[in-house]
Amino acid sequence: MSEVNKPKNPEDDWKVWLVVNPAVWLMPILFAVLIVALVVHSYVISLGYGF
């Protein structure tokens, strides 16, 4: 078997984005964060802590 070169961090950190494409996961995570923020804000406002 051929040996795989060990990564030299942090010089090789950019290579992770070749595998983990932000176009796939970034927007769903941001939408989930938006929904959580809206739910938390609506709950806090319903308790009477709104300004």
Side-chain angles (χ1 to χ4, degrees):
M1 268 191 141
S2 64
E3 292 186 27
V4 176
N5 293 335
K6 292 194 177 220
K8 293 179 287 199
N9 291 325
E11 294 89 15
D12 289 338
D13 283 349
W14 63 272
K15 292 179 182 174
V16 73
W17 300 114
L18 296 176
V19 178
V20 181
N21 187 1
V24 173
W25 57 265
L26 185 61
M27 288 312 291
I29 287 179
L30 290 179
F31 283 131
V33 168
L34 174 67
I35 298 229
V36 168
L38 290 175
V39 167
V40 168
H41 279 82
S42 65
Y43 176 71
V44 169
I45 289 172
S46 72
L47 292 178
Y49 290 117
F51 292 104

